[in-house]
Amino acid sequence: MFAVFAVLLIASHAPLLRLPYFWDEAGYYIPAARDLLAGSLIPHSTPSNAHPPLVMAWLALCWRIFGEGATVTRCAMLGLAAVSLLGFFRLARAVSSSMVAAASTLLTAIYPVFFAQSSLAQVDLAAAGFCFWGLEAYVRRRGIATVIWFSLAALAKETAILVSLALCGWEVALFVFDRERLSFADRPLNDDKPLRKRRDTKETLGQLLVLLLPIVPLALWYDYHYSHTGFVFGNPEFFRYNVQSNFHVLRIVLAFLLRIWQTVGYLNLYVLTAACILAMMYQPLPELLPAAKQEKTAGSKLRQRIPVAIQFAFVAIAIVYIVALSIIGGAVLARYMLPIVPLIILICVSTVWRRLRAWKAVLCVVAAAFIGTLFVNPPYGFSPEDNLAYRDYIRLHQGAEAFIQSRHPRARVLTAWPASDELSRPNLGYVARPIQVVRIEDFTAEQLFAAADETSRFDVALVFSTKYQAPSTLFDRWRRWQDWKTHYFGYHVDLDPVAAAAVLGGKLAYVDRRKGQWVAVIEIQKIEEASADPPVASALAYTDSKWHECVFTTTQTCFPGVSASESRAPKVRWTESSMPQSTRATTIASR
């Protein structure tokens, strides 16, 4: 089965295998893996975020064997994705029928977030996969395997420990409120009423010990990290962004609502959720049996469902994950929910299969919806890493940076992260030689006007959309909503290429746009002092008008996918009243 999953994943991702590294790949995981390849568990070429090193160690091992390169990296990550799908299939098969397991695994594989993350060098999908293997061992009551898989999950990403902690809470709840439990192990496949066993204190304590042991290797990693860096949970800036700055009641409530949306509705997941709710209005269908067996069977047996105790265990995991990641984690990214979204898919598919005669047609509609949103961006804000929009981002930056390398190989380039790393680190796959960069935070008016006063420091500006620009929605007309996004989630508006060029006093030499994303290269023009009232007055007025247009007509509805490496998002939102006024007369001459 692993070979089948691996071949299908590599074949479906074939056009993506040679893509350079994207966003957090470039900003943290690839540099950390290269440091590990050189012999250091603690990253030194990028600030350490204290993520456990398991996935980076896997990449380093693959590079050691096959050579370092983007194709090797993507194939290595697809191998982990195949392991994850196999673990999920085994889990689904352990709690439901083969038909439900196959359908759930297929839908999980083509769900846009899972598909996009399958080849990206990030840790969330691998952690989710190990969680699926741990859950399969848990429902079969295989203690040693449970400890091993949940330990691997925690060493892939620290937040995966929430799964075993949630199961601990569930075991305690069962012991306190229900002195009997459903037996998960050796349950007959078609038995809709699993054997009930009397719980005892010894058995519950044993199960709690199994679920708590995965904390030990994670604690050992943090102890090692602290002994070498002086910090337990990563560098102070990372800890502030992901933990300390999040303790605001309103921010937690907003993040909680977004997490629920990502769990049941995001990127057409609501199609499956709606089908599940609709299916609940119908009675369960009888089990399909061979004719000969059906004649010997008195009465009709209903189609098997996932045992209620297991469904509640999955719900307990989802609740813990949603609540915890509403409090911690600066960026409200959908990939953080990968350990629980497939569990929701499994429950929904099982319900649809059990109650709807047209279940195949319904699931085909769901599959079409997933595939559609893989290629077509949704009408609301989202992170490009959640579907193939990340490919558009990479292609845009490849073109612009190739232009800079051919036209301005020795220029000093003003830009923001992650393009600053793309230009200065050839190993990321964008340029053949490093290019000198001058880094700013983003392309808001605040940052660009500050850069305009220092044009002697750079020759070219590479500006790009740091957020996906979604069509306008009703929420965008609500000023309070915009303020909340700005204050709690680092939302900002980038100036468009024309306005950015006017602010910097340059000319657009290269512009490209794809599905709500854009990139531009601005060649800076020399500014000379003049005593006469200059032609630039009209240019400045044009800049002001374009900025007003950008603020009030360019709208986005995303909670920005700000990474740990991009944790210094400005907290100032420029408005008409706060626009700087130019009082210096200047003339512009071509450099």
Side-chain angles (χ1 to χ4, degrees):
M1 287 293 290
F2 169 79
V4 173
F5 286 135
V7 169
L8 291 176
L9 282 170
I10 291 176
S12 61
H13 286 77
L16 310 173
L17 296 181
R18 296 181 180 274
L19 290 179
Y21 299 119
F22 169 76
W23 212 264
D24 277 355
E25 289 185 301
Y28 183 80
Y29 296 110
I30 294 303
R34 297 185 82 245
D35 291 341
L36 198 149
L37 181 64
S40 174
L41 280 175
I42 306 294
H44 55 76
S45 60
T46 187
S48 175
N49 292 346
H51 290 317
L54 183 61
V55 175
M56 282 73 82
W58 166 248
L59 291 178
L61 176 63
C62 291
W63 291 344
R64 179 76 68 182
I65 298 173
F66 302 106
E68 183 180 348
T71 302
V72 173
T73 300
R74 308 228 176 274
C75 288
M77 296 308 300
L78 288 170
L80 291 180
V83 171
S84 301
L85 284 178
L86 180 58
F88 181 69
F89 177 80
R90 288 173 59 91
L91 170 63
R93 183 63 186 83
V95 301
S96 189
S97 66
S98 298
M99 194 71 70
V100 170
S104 301
T105 304
L106 174 61
L107 290 180
T108 297
I110 63 176
Y111 180 60
V113 178
F114 190 99
F115 184 92
Q117 292 296 317
S118 294
S119 61
L120 294 181
Q122 300 181 139
V123 297
D124 303 272
L125 189 141
F130 292 135
C131 286
F132 301 149
W133 281 92
L135 284 170
E136 191 258 348
Y138 167 77
V139 299
R140 294 187 183 277
R141 288 300 192 253
R142 296 172 180 171
I144 296 178
T146 302
V147 173
I148 292 174
W149 288 116
F150 281 143
S151 296
L152 290 175
L155 290 177
K157 188 173 184 182
E158 61 279 3
T159 52
I161 200 68
L162 293 171
V163 174
S164 59
L165 294 180
L167 291 176
C168 280
W170 173 243
E171 288 288 335
V172 171
L174 283 180
F175 180 77
V176 173
F177 299 106
D178 184 5
R179 297 294 297 180
E180 295 180 340
R181 71 168 174 83
L182 294 179
S183 177
F184 299 147
D186 303 321
R187 178 176 58 82
L189 180 60
N190 296 317
D191 187 2
D192 195 45
K193 296 181 179 179
L195 177 67
R196 298 186 73 89
K197 292 184 177 181
R198 188 72 177 175
R199 300 181 66 88
D200 57 61
T201 303
K202 182 178 179 180
E203 180 185 10
T204 300
L205 290 177
Q207 195 63 25
L208 291 177
L209 178 63
V210 165
L211 295 171
L212 290 174
L213 277 177
I215 295 177
V216 175
L218 182 60
L220 291 175
W221 160 251
Y222 279 131
D223 178 70
Y224 177 85
H225 188 272
Y226 177 77
S227 66
H228 285 73
T229 66
F231 306 113
V232 178
F233 301 112
N235 64 82
E237 183 180 7
F238 174 80
F239 185 74
R240 177 198 59 78
Y241 176 70
N242 286 278
V243 180
Q244 290 177 325
S245 63
N246 298 336
F247 293 110
H248 302 276
V249 175
L250 181 57
R251 194 266 180 200
I252 292 172
V253 171
L254 294 174
F256 179 78
L257 295 175
L258 183 59
R259 290 303 186 192
I260 293 176
W261 167 245
Q262 292 172 342
T263 303
V264 300
Y266 187 60
L267 294 181
N268 286 352
L269 190 58
Y270 66 84
V271 177
L272 179 58
T273 305
C276 177
I277 295 173
L278 177 65
M280 290 297 295
M281 301 178 183
Y282 293 83
Q283 293 298 319
L285 299 174
E287 183 67 65
L288 296 177
L289 299 175
K293 187 175 180 180
Q294 203 167 22
E295 293 178 358
K296 300 178 182 179
T297 304
S300 61
K301 181 174 289 187
L302 299 179
R303 289 187 181 181
Q304 173 201 357
R305 68 177 175 183
I306 300 174
V308 174
I310 297 179
Q311 293 191 54
F312 278 130
F314 289 171
V315 171
I317 294 171
I319 291 174
V320 169
Y321 238 88
I322 290 172
V323 171
L325 294 186
S326 300
I327 300 173
I328 61 175
V332 190
L333 298 177
R335 62 179 157 97
Y336 296 169
M337 309 306 288
L338 280 174
I340 66 172
V341 169
L343 303 181
I344 303 301
I345 291 176
L346 173 56
I347 293 175
C348 291
V349 169
S350 175
T351 303
V352 170
W353 170 81
R354 187 169 185 255
R355 295 174 179 267
L356 296 182
R357 295 188 183 278
W359 66 272
K360 291 183 180 179
V362 171
L363 295 185
C364 283
V365 171
V366 174
F370 284 179
I371 294 174
T373 198
L374 186 62
F375 295 93
V376 180
N377 295 336
Y380 47 80
F382 79 111
S383 176
E385 67 176 13
D386 293 341
N387 71 359
L388 292 180
Y390 85 87
R391 177 192 58 186
D392 297 331
Y393 170 95
I394 291 175
R395 294 302 188 198
L396 287 170
H397 283 233
Q398 277 184 307
E401 289 160 17
F403 176 85
I404 292 175
Q405 189 167 24
S406 63
R407 292 276 297 269
H408 305 281
R410 299 182 182 278
R412 299 164 297 171
V413 181
L414 176 78
T415 192
W417 185 88
S420 56
D421 285 354
E422 296 164 6
L423 290 169
S424 59
R425 296 184 175 184
N427 60 73
L428 298 180
Y430 290 88
V431 295
R433 296 177 300 277
I435 295 176
Q436 184 179 355
V437 300
V438 177
R439 178 172 167 175
I440 58 176
E441 297 297 328
D442 48 49
F443 306 109
T444 58
E446 176 190 21
Q447 290 287 311
L448 289 179
F449 270 104
D453 292 333
E454 301 288 341
T455 53
S456 61
R457 296 179 56 198
F458 55 92
D459 310 298
V460 174
L462 173 62
V463 298
F464 57 92
S465 53
T466 59
K467 306 286 183 290
Y468 167 69
Q469 296 177 348
S472 179
T473 66
L474 291 176
F475 280 104
D476 294 314
R477 302 175 185 176
W478 187 16
R479 179 60 182 272
R480 182 65 61 84
W481 175 250
Q482 301 297 326
D483 292 341
W484 287 344
K485 289 197 297 180
T486 301
H487 182 70
Y488 294 116
F489 301 100
Y491 172 79
H492 65 269
V493 175
D494 296 312
L495 293 188
D496 65 26
V498 175
V503 170
L504 293 175
K507 64 177 181 178
L508 285 173
Y510 180 97
V511 180
D512 195 7
R513 302 176 186 271
R514 292 191 184 191
K515 299 179 181 178
Q517 300 183 83
W518 54 266
V519 66
V521 176
I522 302 171
E523 295 175 343
I524 305 303
Q525 299 171 317
K526 184 180 294 184
I527 299 178
E528 299 175 353
E529 296 294 333
S531 57
D533 192 29
V536 79
S538 61
L540 290 172
Y542 172 77
T543 301
D544 285 353
S545 65
K546 291 300 290 183
W547 163 238
H548 295 170
E549 178 183 349
C550 185
V551 169
F552 297 114
T553 68
T554 301
T555 54
Q556 305 171 43
T557 57
C558 61
F559 287 92
V562 181
S563 70
S565 304
E566 192 193 23
S567 60
R568 294 175 296 277
K571 293 181 170 54
V572 177
R573 185 178 190 276
W574 285 77
T575 62
E576 182 176 0
S577 61
S578 61
M579 287 290 294
Q581 300 296 321
S582 175
T583 58
R584 185 179 59 181
T586 59
T587 58
I588 300 179
S590 177
R591 181 181 291 272

